[in-house]
Amino acid sequence: MTETRLTGKVVLDAMGSDHAPHAEIDGALAAARDLQVGVILVGQSAKVEPELRRCGWHGDGDRGIELVEAAEVIGMGEPVAASVRRKKRSSLRIGTKLVTEGRADGFVSAGNTGAAMATAMMVIGMLPGVDRPALAALIPTRAAKPTLLLDVGANSECKPHHLVQFAIMGDAYSRAVLGSTRPAVGLMSIGEEEAKGNDLTKEAFPLLRAMRNLNFVGNVEGRDLFSGAVDVIVTDGFTGNVMLKLCEGLTEAMLSMIKRELTSSAVTKAGAVLARPAFRNIKRRLDYSEYGVAPLLGVRQIVVIGHGNSNARAIRNAIRNVKEFSENRAGQRIESGIAETNAFQRRAGAVTSR
């Protein structure tokens, strides 16, 4: 396992979000100012450079920002495989290539999720021993810390050992980025008992329990997602994506209902004025810009994919995510954990075959 020299820089796809390049530029400038990190913006110079100069940028290196030309963009609605293969000068392709060349520690995009994943796997490559990458999502809870849910969309069909690898990756991320000392890892199922669930969860349970380097606490249910009782929840990408979209829809619906009720009469409006600080705090905790990024775990260097409607704060936090992941050597932790897990499974297989 090689020790990667850190550059203190992050590559940002300047053409990704619905509000590109404005959200990316504002987020990059905020990150460079607040986090002491260099940001390499990759995109169409004709669109990005004038906006940068309006913000007082005078050229590469000024205010911690560099600009690299990428003539092509892969749009949100474009077919993934064909676009990634055809557009070799896209901001995704050039941005991930800068990471492999050692010019930055990681890559951020709020663009086409499928294209970002495919490009990262093709250009940056997978960590040794990792069969499939996993998209992780941070879910706000009633506890002090969010819960890390993975996979939330990279793999709709999984095998039991894939869930074990997701658990290893989630454990490393939780330690490195969220500051957990011994993350509690749960397996999403339809009941807490080991015998509950489908074939995938029933077969994954004993494999996870056998991992001595994991604090596996057993099955968890959907209602545990927001309790904060566990730090990491693993599931297949189909289930995880449904859960993530449910969370997004539920948050929007609840905030809308609360706002409607608080403005329904003079009495509730008066009460709302008094309770405004509390509601503001709740809204902030549920805001996607606080946790609305999905790290793609399992690739050789960290890739973070943001929501299409990411604002400047979400972009800044995505860059912070890459910085913390890199500085805490989470990639090396994942690689080491996967190697230990694969060695254990080989030994177990050798014993059972005797």
Side-chain angles (χ1 to χ4, degrees), residues 165-183:
Q165 292 192 353
F166 297 167
I168 294 289
M169 294 190 284
D171 174 83
Y173 184 91
S174 185
R175 290 174 187 271
V177 178
L178 304 180
S180 304
T181 54
R182 194 166 181 261

Side-chain angles (χ1 to χ4, degrees), residues 212-230:
R212 293 193 179 93
N213 54 346
L214 283 178
N215 179 23
F216 177 58
V217 297
N219 286 342
V220 295
E221 300 175 90
R223 62 188 175 190
D224 297 313
L225 183 62
F226 304 105
S227 70
V230 292

